[in-house]
Amino acid sequence: MFSEVLQSTAQNLRYLTKSMPKPGFIFKPLHESHVQASIICSKKLGTHVRVRSGGHDYEGLSYVSEIEKPFIVMDLSKLRKVNINIKDNSAWVQAGATVGELYYRIAEKSRVHGFPAGLCSSLGIGGHITGGAYGSMMRKYGLGADNVLDAKIVDANGKLLDRKAMGEDTFWAIRGGAGGSFGVILEWKIKLVPVPKTVTVFTVTKTLQQDPGNKILSKWQMVADKLVDELFIRVIFNVAANNGSKTATTSYNAVFLGNKGVLMEVMNKSFPELGLTPKDCTEMSWLESIVYISGFASRTPTKVLLQGKSPFPKNNFKAKSDFVKKPIPESGLKGIFKKLLKEDNPMMIWNPYGGMMAKIPESQIPFPHRKGVIFKIQYVTNWPDSDRRASRHIKWIRDLYSFMTPYVSMNPRQSYVNYRDLDLGQNKKGCKSTINQAQVWGASYFKDNFKRLVKVKTKVDPNNFFRHEQSIPPMLVQN
């Protein structure tokens, strides 16, 4: 049972190897009061706690502690109630529910309501919103964290707090300041947003040979953040076999909040280079578009969203992220493709910004990546358990990241906290870090908002009960 529960929602196999530290035990609360009791108990015993809602932390920080032993894992997967209130356009959703479940329960009550969070249906909503939570409606409505009305958390003293009781500073910090620093998120109250009865999706894939001179990709960089807010076109880069050799492919993967006819007008006017045809487009409900963009096979029933499963098999992976503020020139694009072709199973995703993302101020919540960002890059490399060359794959992604330095944001070089990357720096054993040390990765994730996060942490958890390799340190923790 122990191994089964530990592995159940752990998404990165790299952190389940024999050599990785394992928790002393796993605790699955069935009620809010159980969370309170376990915090009080852990504090008395001096036991370190990790909290897991969906297990998607890229560096396994919700179920592995490499800097502190012994530790326990509090697994919130039994706390997964979703209460939808269509009358006042809101919902309460417990931390252990997945985004897929949330979307399904919204659509059960209404075909014209949705929520602008993640594209991966197995994400645990608890941790997902703490980092920002973006999806295909971000250009229209912003992030999941931009659409939170209230929350319930358990603080370092075991107290159950809502927005009023925790105060506006803490409420600000938990919406984008990342998980595991300020308390245990039990439940979010979210604002539902309007969606049309019909949305349109398409995926158009081009090989390197089909986009000579990278003209289509260059045009995407020029227009992706300036298209109508209802249109989200991301680019997914893969490597594929091609007549006995390898080629790189770019898939333009899109969701449009509207019908096919209007989409074709928009594309013909703003991005004709892609050569989109009505045949490429499929009209469907918003809920069906979630199944589509999550990567499930076409015509998969929407009930799949209730299973909390990813359409892709679990693998070992390493990921990194960047934000781009000016188009990458042709020489840079050529270099990227050259690097991709050297790796076995690389993937890169470019997500467009602009729209509502550019209108929300950087300091409104801790997530600071707003105006001026054209797109965000996610770099990933995957390898199966049978491949013993993990260090080779990690070196490859670090080399690619280094190559990208001249083309991305700088001072600081920005990163997305939900694509956790311990290469950026980490707290030391016992989580003793000075503010200056933590500032290195803190600025990448939060820019100037990091300073305010430190102030909030110092106020609500001065003894650093909630801590991990990249948690926000309080001011008093010194070497």
Side-chain angles (χ1 to χ4, degrees):
M1 276 295 284
F2 177 84
S3 295
E4 201 179 298
V5 173
L6 178 63
Q7 291 168 22
S8 60
T9 60
Q11 303 296 328
N12 193 346
L13 296 184
R14 199 154 62 92
Y15 289 99
L16 289 176
T17 57
K18 280 200 175 81
S19 61
M20 282 291 161
K22 304 290 181 282
F25 64 89
I26 301 167
F27 177 59
K28 279 187 152 183
L30 305 172
H31 190 269
E32 292 174 346
S33 63
H34 297 171
V35 177
Q36 294 177 270
S38 68
I39 294 298
I40 293 163
C41 182
S42 300
K43 211 170 172 183
K44 271 191 181 162
L45 295 171
T47 306
H48 181 51
V49 181
R50 295 290 167 114
V51 182
R52 177 169 82 173
S53 53
H56 274 261
D57 189 286
Y58 276 21
E59 300 278 19
L61 301 190
S62 58
Y63 50 95
V64 173
S65 169
E66 291 191 80
I67 57 175
E68 216 147 338
K69 285 181 254 188
F71 70 100
I72 67 164
V73 167
M74 192 191 303
D75 183 311
L76 302 177
S77 58
K78 296 275 190 204
L79 298 175
R80 58 191 321 134
K81 281 197 205 79
V82 181
N83 289 316
I84 310 291
N85 186 337
I86 292 298
K87 266 192 187 145
D88 78 349
N89 295 317
S90 73
W92 275 102
V93 53
Q94 286 188 310
T98 64
V99 296
E101 284 173 88
L102 170 62
Y103 299 152
Y104 190 90
R105 297 301 174 209
I106 295 170
E108 236 176 7
K109 294 277 172 77
S110 164
R111 279 197 64 180
V112 291
H113 288 76
F115 184 66
L119 306 174
C120 172
S121 57
S122 57
L123 289 161
I125 198 79
H128 179 48
I129 289 178
T130 63
Y134 78 89
S136 56
M137 296 200 290
M138 64 189 277
R139 302 189 63 249
K140 178 74 174 169
Y141 297 117
L143 307 167
D146 293 321
N147 291 277
V148 170
L149 303 166
D150 202 341
K152 283 185 191 164
I153 70 167
V154 174
D155 72 3
N157 299 313
K159 285 193 175 134
L160 181 61
L161 309 170
D162 63 3
R163 177 176 182 171
K164 196 175 171 200
M166 76 179 83
E168 287 303 300
D169 277 347
T170 305
F171 185 62
W172 174 84
I174 61 174
R175 292 172 298 143
S181 287
F182 304 101
V184 180
I185 308 288
L186 292 180
E187 206 167 359
W188 297 107
K189 185 183 185 184
I190 58 166
K191 181 171 81 184
L192 304 182
V193 300
V195 297
K197 278 196 173 135
T198 302
V199 307
T200 307
V201 301
F202 68 78
T203 304
V204 172
T205 301
K206 304 284 182 188
T207 62
L208 280 177
Q209 294 72 22
Q210 289 167 330
D211 186 13
N214 295 306
K215 286 191 172 58
I216 300 170
L217 190 56
S218 296
K219 180 64 184 279
W220 178 90
Q221 292 189 86
M222 302 301 292
V223 301
D225 64 320
K226 299 173 192 75
L227 295 165
V228 295
D229 297 357
E230 291 78 13
L231 179 54
F232 173 91
I233 309 176
R234 62 178 181 164
V235 188
I236 304 170
F237 296 70
N238 288 109
V239 164
N242 181 35
N243 296 330
S245 65
K246 277 202 314 195
T247 185
T249 61
T250 45
S251 295
Y252 296 82
N253 179 230
V255 177
F256 176 64
L257 300 172
N259 64 35
K260 194 190 284 197
V262 180
L263 171 61
M264 285 308 302
E265 279 174 34
V266 170
M267 290 297 287
N268 289 334
K269 185 182 161 204
S270 306
F271 192 13
E273 291 79 359
L274 187 61
L276 187 73
T277 67
K279 215 168 82 178
D280 298 318
C281 305
T282 310
E283 292 183 339
M284 55 180 63
S285 69
W286 172 74
L287 189 67
E288 288 166 336
S289 80
I290 296 292
V291 175
Y292 173 87
I293 207 146
S294 288
F296 289 99
S298 64
R299 296 194 181 81
T300 300
T302 54
K303 265 219 156 81
V304 74
L305 297 174
L306 295 175
Q307 292 173 12
K309 286 194 174 78
S310 164
F312 309 106
K314 285 184 187 179
N315 246 332
N316 301 273
F317 70 87
K318 171 69 185 163
K320 297 172 96 61
S321 61
D322 262 320
F323 288 84
V324 176
K325 298 187 171 185
K326 52 182 198 288
I328 297 170
E330 163 69 359
S331 55
L333 299 177
K334 273 187 173 156
I336 291 169
F337 285 120
K338 204 172 160 186
K339 295 257 179 217
L340 288 173
L341 290 167
K342 284 183 175 163
E343 179 59 340
D344 299 347
N345 198 15
M347 183 170 69
M348 189 168 55
I349 303 175
W350 290 8
N351 277 292
Y353 271 54
M356 182 56 87
M357 291 301 288
K359 293 176 192 135
I360 297 170
E362 283 195 3
S363 59
Q364 186 153 313
I365 62 170
F367 178 100
H369 319 289
R370 304 286 187 176
K371 194 178 175 186
V373 173
I374 305 177
F375 60 97
K376 173 179 63 193
I377 302 179
Q378 178 181 194
Y379 313 94
V380 188
T381 180
N382 287 280
W383 62 96
D385 264 348
S386 55
D387 184 340
R388 299 278 177 232
R389 302 164 303 161
S391 57
R392 191 193 124 207
H393 299 296
I394 291 170
K395 182 184 182 304
W396 174 83
I397 201 168
R398 286 173 179 161
D399 286 349
L400 174 60
Y401 187 73
S402 174
F403 170 80
M404 292 300 290
T405 308
Y407 307 113
V408 297
S409 62
M410 56 184 74
N411 302 321
R413 184 171 182 175
Q414 293 163 235
S415 298
Y416 178 38
V417 74
N418 272 359
Y419 297 155
R420 176 92 57 199
D421 181 7
L422 292 182
D423 290 353
L424 300 175
Q426 52 185 296
N427 293 318
K428 294 183 175 164
K429 278 202 160 60
C431 291
K432 286 183 166 53
S433 273
T434 63
I435 305 303
N436 284 346
Q437 287 163 338
Q439 172 78 29
V440 177
W441 48 263
S444 285
Y445 291 143
F446 309 115
K447 294 178 80 174
D448 285 346
N449 295 332
F450 179 67
K451 296 178 188 119
R452 186 175 169 194
L453 287 169
V454 169
K455 280 182 189 159
V456 177
K457 173 72 171 181
T458 307
K459 190 167 110 188
V460 303
D461 186 16
N463 297 318
N464 210 19
F465 176 79
F466 293 109
R467 58 191 187 269
H468 56 72
E469 285 79 350
Q470 281 185 345
S471 57
I472 307 289
M475 273 180 203
L476 306 177
V477 176
Q478 295 293 336
N479 281 342

